[in-house]
Amino acid sequence: MPEPRRSTIDAGEVERFSALAAEWWNPNGKFRPLHKLNPVRLAYIRDQVAARFGRDPRAARPFEGLRFLDIGCGGGLLCEPMARLGAEVVGADASATNIEVAKLHAAEAGVSVDYRATTAEALADAGETFDVVLNMEVVEHVADVDLFLAKCAQMVRPGGIMFVATINRTLKALGLAIIGAEYILRWLPRGTHHFGKLVRPEELEKALGAAGLRVIDRTGVIYHPLADRWQKSRDMDVNYMVLAEKASV
């Protein structure tokens, strides 16, 4: 008998986020942590993409002519800002409910984003390619991390880049990102993250390397409760981001 086709989709995770779909654009709702995290993510992406492609980050539309994929886009919290900066954006999510919410919000905001209810493997197998792939807070929710990263890397054009943001698998992350954020502070619904599915930086970098990408930058992201904001840090024990490149032909 043929082996079953491998998939990156964790049906339980898709169902969990689909149930929360109406909350995506509520800055004080279930996705409040992502709204708070967005400024530091957007600044990092803007500055790194501008440096990579020789653009002025202060320009009104510095990403004009670049094609972006936001994989696991949810309600579009990153897609819309990237489109406003001039990028041609494809937002993909396995949850059709999330995609409908994202489409509705983009239409109301007058922002053009190509939203699709699909998977990384379906896009890659269809031959889609991008200058920039945004892979933000997704790897800890997929069923097969290596396959997921391989399919995402397959879609990065030569000379292109991929951003990956996730949570480290450390006791500190267990205490802060799961017990603290989900069970004590109730920032996130209980069960949003599972400790065993968190990914260490060395595991992530190994998988990216096997997929043909080279990590060229990495940074931690920490929350300052007194300032009520997130900022970059050398501390990668909890939240962190990496930037990987595909060599030019």
Side-chain angles (χ1 to χ4, degrees), residues 51-108:
R52 180 72 178 185
F53 295 98
R55 307 299 178 87
D56 180 358
R58 298 164 299 180
R61 294 173 63 85
F63 297 166
E64 202 82 58
L66 297 177
R67 192 168 194 242
F68 278 55
L69 168 66
D70 184 6
I71 189 70
C73 66
L77 299 187
L78 285 175
C79 292
E80 289 193 19
M82 296 300 106
R84 288 193 179 96
L85 290 172
E88 175 193 343
V89 181
V90 173
D93 200 283
S95 166
T97 307
N98 284 345
I99 290 298
E100 289 308 311
V101 169
K103 285 181 176 178
L104 178 61
H105 192 274
E108 291 174 345

Side-chain angles (χ1 to χ4, degrees), residues 43-188:
Y44 184 68
I45 293 167
R46 180 199 63 214
D47 292 347
Q48 293 289 350
V49 171
R52 180 72 178 185
F53 295 98
R55 307 299 178 87
D56 180 358
R58 298 164 299 180
R61 294 173 63 85
F63 297 166
E64 202 82 58
L66 297 177
R67 192 168 194 242
F68 278 55
L69 168 66
D70 184 6
I71 189 70
C73 66
L77 299 187
L78 285 175
C79 292
E80 289 193 19
M82 296 300 106
R84 288 193 179 96
L85 290 172
E88 175 193 343
V89 181
V90 173
D93 200 283
S95 166
T97 307
N98 284 345
I99 290 298
E100 289 308 311
V101 169
K103 285 181 176 178
L104 178 61
H105 192 274
E108 291 174 345
V111 179
S112 177
V113 177
D114 179 3
Y115 283 116
R116 308 182 195 179
T118 188
T119 64
E121 53 265 42
L123 287 169
D125 293 348
E128 295 279 2
T129 62
F130 302 88
D131 300 292
V132 179
V133 173
L134 304 179
N135 194 330
M136 313 298 278
E137 287 78 39
V138 181
V139 295
E140 68 269 27
H141 299 293
V142 301
D144 188 326
V145 173
D146 289 347
L147 176 62
F148 177 69
L149 290 174
K151 289 298 183 180
C152 290
Q154 183 180 324
M155 292 185 280
V156 179
R157 292 172 175 169
I161 53 178
M162 178 160 73
F163 294 84
V164 185
T166 189
I167 302 173
N168 201 343
R169 194 172 68 254
T170 63
L171 291 178
K172 186 176 180 180
L174 174 63
L176 294 177
I178 297 180
I179 297 173
E182 297 181 19
Y183 290 84
I184 298 175
L185 297 174
R186 304 291 180 88
W187 285 351
L188 294 166

